Amino acid sequence: MAKKQKKAKPARAKAAAKKSRKVVKLSSKKANGAKKASGNGKSNNLPRPSTKPYGQDGKALTGVRILDFTHVQSGPTCTQLLAWLGCDVIKVERPGIGDITRGQLRDVPNADSLYFTMLNHNKRSITIDSKHPQGKRVLDELIKTCDVLVENFAPGALDRMGLTWEHIHKLNPRMIVASVKGFGPGPYEDCKVYENVAQCAGGSASTTGFREGPPLVTGAQIGDSGTGLHLALGIVSALYQRIRTGRGQRVLAAMQDGVLNLCRVKLRDQQRIEKGPLTEYSQYGEGVPFGKSVPRAGNDSGGGQPGWILKCKGWESDPDAYIYFITQAPVWEAICDLIGEPTWKTDPDYATPKARLPKLKKIFARIEDWTMTKTKFEVMEICNKLDIPVGPILSMKEIAEEPSLRKTGTVVEVDHPTRGKYLTVGNPIKLSDSISEVKRSPLLGEHTDEILRDVLKLPAKDIAEIKGSGALSAPKKEEKAA
Ligand code: CAO
């Protein structure tokens, strides 16, 4: 394509540009003035830039203490992330039982499960019976010293423990109380919710899968882990606002809302479908009429650039010998050359994205003839050189063994005293001045004494008294039976 000639600027535009340059000069003068006061650049009331090497001046959230009442997956995802970012996370667990996932899907007898260990790194554990009078006393003291309380109990459970917003806020007006619930206020607000319920209620299941098949849930835990991520952002924002207002607030992330947020493009399509067919869906090319709501679109790309999953060499025996192939418009000519269809570059039936839409099935079948002659990694190598976006379908085995993911700390090997070495996913968010180390999850109640002594500064006599009351330990068998 011919390059556009630069147009000569009219006199007025030249004057305006000169003026704006002048403004830049003025503000840079101000910045130099501020440099004297704050060390470098504009101060914005910030301290002077640290002179310590990057990664050696604490962590992003150092100094923030979290009272972590979370269990199962959604809440623990959130607090694990905050722990990686530097928070001191104190996980409160029921004596004798702890987070129910400690014992779920166990692969090593009598050791904490991978379900638990992989969601609770970098935390401390204290056991407290939150319904015991002495346990309540300890919790009240912890509320006074923590910045954030995070919970994902069933609706009403926190209130039933006596930990209402009013009670917490009276003890500590600065405390942020963050909750995951299945649904926001409305007809379903009292429901207990797990991952797949949220995927269904948030619009994911109805739009996932193949048109001819039933709704499908996805393996990515968008309901649990996705909502945990949303909650973490809410907490960090509330912490930032608290710097200005001095007071805490409630943060709610409902799983239905979180899933819907991730399904935003499908609500986009719902509104488009009312105005005409969704031409980028392969259903359109196949001549299948659209109904009233967004259909399941199989492996269609969901964006403006058509894509599909194609077989690669070895697909007959390897269930993951596939590649995602995107026929991005700017590289169409390279695709045609690659698959041996050079005439498609100029043929009016294929040359434009619009002309290709009704023929996507045929086009992808032709591309697949080519991908089936190569392994998914060969396709990746060839296509990337040509700027053609493709993605190999990686199995979990391949991901676990991928050296580059180990190198970045995205996949980490952790040692654990009762279960030995295991693999986990490290912090996916990389900060250059707040580097995450992945520390093993705590044993049940491992830090009970340490927290009473070092966080609450309780004297040994008081600790002994609280322990003697039974507030921190599981009821003995006879008591349970009584
Ligand atoms: N001491 C004493 N009691 C404790 C305690 C402690 N340290 N920790 C928890 N408990 C009690 C709670 O007070 C509650 O008792 P009540 O029902 O008498 O008030 C009880 O344990 C059970 O809590 P729960 O109802 O939250 O747990 P559940 O296993 O029945 O339900 C779940 C689990 C996840 C469905 C529900 O917590 C929920 O809907 N949470 C919100 C949505 C959510 O996060 N879902 C994602 C889960 S991950 O897939």
Side-chain angles (χ1 to χ4, degrees):
M1 244 168 50
K3 278 191 183 164
K4 275 187 189 165
Q5 288 279 315
K6 265 193 181 175
K7 278 187 191 162
K9 275 186 187 160
R12 254 174 52 198
K14 269 188 191 167
K18 204 174 167 191
K19 203 174 162 195
S20 74
R21 272 205 301 277
K22 209 174 168 190
V23 171
V24 170
K25 211 173 161 194
L26 268 176
S27 69
S28 74
K29 251 191 194 168
K30 259 192 194 165
N32 286 340
K35 193 177 170 182
K36 274 185 201 151
S38 71
N40 192 8
K42 276 191 176 174
S43 82
N44 285 336
N45 294 325
L46 294 172
R48 284 169 182 271
S50 169
T51 51
K52 289 189 184 164
Y54 274 83
Q56 289 179 32
D57 199 0
K59 298 230 160 78
L61 297 176
T62 294
V64 175
R65 185 170 282 152
I66 309 266
L67 188 56
D68 180 11
F69 259 119
T70 67
H71 64 156
V72 201
Q73 185 183 164
S74 62
T77 300
C78 166
T79 50
Q80 175 170 261
L81 205 53
L82 297 172
W84 280 331
L85 294 172
C87 293
D88 176 14
V89 176
I90 297 176
K91 184 168 173 110
V92 179
E93 295 185 81
R94 206 198 305 222
I97 306 166
D99 186 325
I100 195 164
T101 59
R102 283 187 185 267
Q104 282 180 339
L105 313 177
R106 268 196 174 135
D107 58 328
V108 177
N110 303 320
D112 287 333
S113 70
L114 286 168
Y115 195 2
F116 176 83
T117 53
M118 290 178 73
L119 285 160
N120 290 284
H121 293 108
N122 297 48
K123 303 181 187 177
R124 301 199 269 177
S125 166
I126 180 170
T127 49
I128 306 175
D129 180 349
S130 62
K131 290 170 181 161
H132 191 288
Q134 286 282 34
K136 283 178 189 290
R137 208 187 109 200
V138 175
L139 278 172
D140 282 355
E141 291 310 310
L142 281 169
I143 286 169
K144 286 183 205 161
T145 134
C146 289
D147 300 280
V148 189
L149 185 155
V150 191
E151 62 95 21
N152 68 311
F153 288 127
L158 197 67
D159 286 1
R160 288 194 289 278
M161 286 180 186
L163 297 177
T164 60
W165 162 253
E166 291 73 23
H167 176 79
I168 296 167
H169 208 222
K170 205 167 151 199
L171 290 174
N172 181 358
R174 296 181 197 280
M175 179 159 259
I176 291 153
V177 179
S179 307
V180 169
K181 293 288 165 263
F183 293 91
Y188 306 121
E189 66 187 20
D190 292 329
C191 298
K192 290 191 174 185
V193 169
Y194 283 103
E195 171 68 46
N196 289 345
V197 175
Q199 288 198 23
C200 294
S204 175
S206 70
T207 53
T208 303
F210 288 89
R211 208 174 51 243
E212 319 78 48
L216 215 60
V217 293
T218 156
Q221 305 286 283
I222 57 176
D224 280 338
S225 289
T227 309
L229 281 166
H230 283 96
L231 191 72
L233 180 59
I235 291 169
V236 174
S237 305
L239 282 166
Y240 192 75
Q241 188 173 357
R242 193 180 70 163
I243 297 171
R244 188 164 43 79
T245 63
R247 65 182 181 204
Q249 61 181 300
R250 276 178 283 187
V251 181
L252 170 68
M255 294 167 76
Q256 182 185 39
D257 300 3
V259 170
L260 179 57
N261 186 34
L262 300 176
C263 290
R264 177 171 293 265
V265 297
K266 299 296 176 182
L267 187 57
R268 172 200 69 193
D269 292 349
Q270 181 57 40
Q271 294 167 85
R272 291 172 59 228
I273 209 172
E274 287 155 19
K275 306 211 169 79
L278 306 171
T279 53
E280 78 283 13
Y281 281 51
S282 42
Q283 166 173 354
Y284 170 72
E286 290 162 35
V288 179
F290 285 85
K292 284 199 162 65
S293 54
V294 177
R296 293 184 267 290
N299 289 318
D300 283 339
S301 82
Q305 306 289 351
W308 198 256
I309 289 186
L310 306 177
K311 289 171 184 156
C312 291
K313 198 183 208 170
W315 66 274
E316 299 91 338
S317 54
D318 177 357
D320 298 309
Y322 288 82
I323 193 131
Y324 199 92
F325 198 106
I326 299 177
T327 55
Q328 197 193 6
V331 288
W332 174 245
E333 297 193 354
I335 295 170
C336 296
D337 287 336
L338 192 67
I339 62 171
E341 295 287 355
T343 58
W344 283 4
K345 290 192 277 188
T346 47
D347 181 339
D349 277 351
Y350 291 90
T352 64
K354 198 169 173 215
R356 290 195 287 275
L357 282 178
K359 300 179 204 67
L360 287 178
K361 205 170 176 184
K362 183 178 167 193
I363 292 168
F364 281 119
R366 178 66 193 89
I367 300 172
E368 191 172 61
D369 287 342
W370 176 77
T371 57
M372 276 161 66
T373 66
K374 311 266 178 287
T375 68
K376 60 189 175 189
F377 297 111
E378 286 166 350
V379 175
M380 178 87 174
E381 206 180 324
I382 296 167
C383 288
N384 275 337
K385 280 189 190 137
L386 299 169
D387 267 348
I388 301 169
V390 290
I393 309 305
L394 293 184
S395 68
M396 272 300 152
K397 187 171 186 302
E398 286 164 332
I399 288 173
E401 291 164 0
E402 172 58 43
S404 65
L405 294 175
R406 298 286 183 103
K407 216 169 161 192
T408 56
T410 296
V411 175
V412 189
E413 190 176 75
V414 185
D415 207 356
H416 187 277
T418 56
R419 60 167 301 114
K421 291 199 164 111
Y422 66 95
L423 279 191
T424 194
V425 184
N427 188 357
I429 303 166
K430 320 289 187 203
L431 275 73
S432 65
D433 202 9
S434 178
I435 293 149
S436 302
E437 320 131 83
V438 180
K439 295 188 193 144
R440 71 163 174 87
S441 59
L443 301 173
L444 179 60
E446 184 177 344
H447 305 97
T448 300
D449 283 45
E450 179 184 304
I451 290 163
L452 297 175
R453 191 186 59 234
D454 300 345
V455 176
L456 297 185
K457 314 268 185 246
L458 292 179
K461 186 174 79 49
D462 286 14
I463 295 176
E465 191 194 313
I466 295 164
K467 281 182 150 179
S469 76
L472 311 182
S473 47
K476 297 206 176 73
K477 277 203 178 117
E478 320 77 82
E479 287 174 40
K480 258 195 205 163

